[in-house]
């Protein structure tokens, strides 16, 4: 068996995510594969993954990259702020972001997209790069579309599990 010769590109990302989400109904498996797709498709990342909203805080979920912070309070750092405000944060220089949490000192820029279904905060998609000003508005739109596609696969049972009632 040889290594694949085709690498996923940003242009392929949304269709690849659609393929993954149409064929799998386990939330953790889906999040793991989506983070892997993003990590492959977008260059110059040192972290791509999810934090899940569980019992009032963000808890580390499936990701690609170096060891990460395990828990983040709502309103803290870029992830906690995006979760609390329920809006995408694109930060060109994380070291100038008030209250930035340095899970990986090599990270220089970050984009965080909240994952929300039926008004319930599911978590956030978080991408870090060692390059300042790494993320563009076009990538923000793409990542928001990825999250929108992902939200359609989240079930009632997933919502109960995330809230701690299952």
């Amino acid at each position: 068996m040889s290594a694949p010769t085709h690498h996923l590109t940003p242009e392929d990302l949304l269709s690849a995510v659609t393929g993954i989400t149409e064929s799998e109904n386990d939330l953790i498996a889906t999040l793991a594969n989506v983070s892997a797709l993003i990590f492959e498709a977008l260059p110059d990342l040192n972290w791509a993954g999810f934090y899940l909203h569980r019992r009032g805080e963000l808890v580390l979920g499936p990701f690609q990259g170096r060891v990460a912070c395990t828990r983040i309070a709502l309103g803290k750092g870029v992830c906690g702020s995006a979760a609390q405000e329920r809006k995408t944060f694109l930060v060109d220089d994380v070291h100038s972001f008030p209250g930035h949490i340095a899970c990986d000192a090599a990270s220089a820029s970050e984009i965080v997209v909240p994952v929300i279904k039926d008004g319930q905060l599911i978590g956030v998609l978080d991408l870090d790069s060692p390059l300042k000003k790494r993320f563009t508005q076009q990538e923000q739109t793409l990542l928001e579309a990825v999250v929108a596609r992902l939200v359609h696969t989240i079930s009632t049972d997933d919502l109960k599990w995330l809230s701690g009632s299952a």
Side-chain angles (χ1 to χ4, degrees):
M1 176 183 272
S2 63
T5 57
H6 176 264
H7 292 283
L8 195 65
T9 66
E11 293 76 23
D12 301 326
L13 181 59
L14 192 55
S15 63
V17 168
T18 299
I20 293 281
T21 58
E22 286 178 346
S23 61
E24 181 55 59
N25 63 5
D26 183 275
L27 179 61
I28 298 301
T30 299
L31 296 177
N33 274 329
V34 169
S35 65
L37 289 171
I38 292 168
F39 200 75
E40 180 181 347
L42 300 180
D44 301 318
L45 299 181
N46 58 327
W47 205 90
F50 294 90
Y51 282 92
L52 300 174
H53 183 234
R54 306 249 5 221
R55 296 179 182 92
E57 65 183 343
L58 296 175
V59 179
L60 182 63
F63 72 94
Q64 301 287 310
R66 300 184 67 183
V67 171
C69 298
T70 305
R71 296 176 186 276
I72 299 174
L74 295 183
K76 301 295 182 186
V78 181
C79 287
S81 297
Q84 185 172 55
E85 295 188 29
R86 296 179 177 223
K87 70 177 190 177
T88 300
F89 275 53
L90 192 158
V91 180
D92 289 334
D93 179 0
V94 295
H95 303 292
S96 66
F97 187 87
H100 169 66
I101 301 168
C103 297
D104 180 354
S107 293
S109 62
E110 185 170 6
I111 185 167
V112 180
V113 181
V115 180
I116 299 167
K117 178 164 180 129
D118 300 334
Q120 182 176 333
L121 176 66
I122 305 304
V124 297
L125 168 62
D126 178 26
L127 278 67
D128 294 354
S129 173
L131 305 177
K132 287 184 181 179
K133 297 183 179 184
R134 160 63 191 85
F135 302 103
T136 66
Q137 289 295 319
Q138 183 179 8
E139 287 169 326
Q140 177 177 333
T141 300
L142 173 62
L143 293 168
E144 289 171 343
V146 165
V147 166
R149 178 64 196 116
L150 181 63
V151 163
H152 290 298
T153 69
I154 298 172
S155 70
T156 303
D157 287 341
D158 293 329
L159 294 175
K160 288 178 186 174
W161 175 75
L162 287 163
S163 69
S165 63

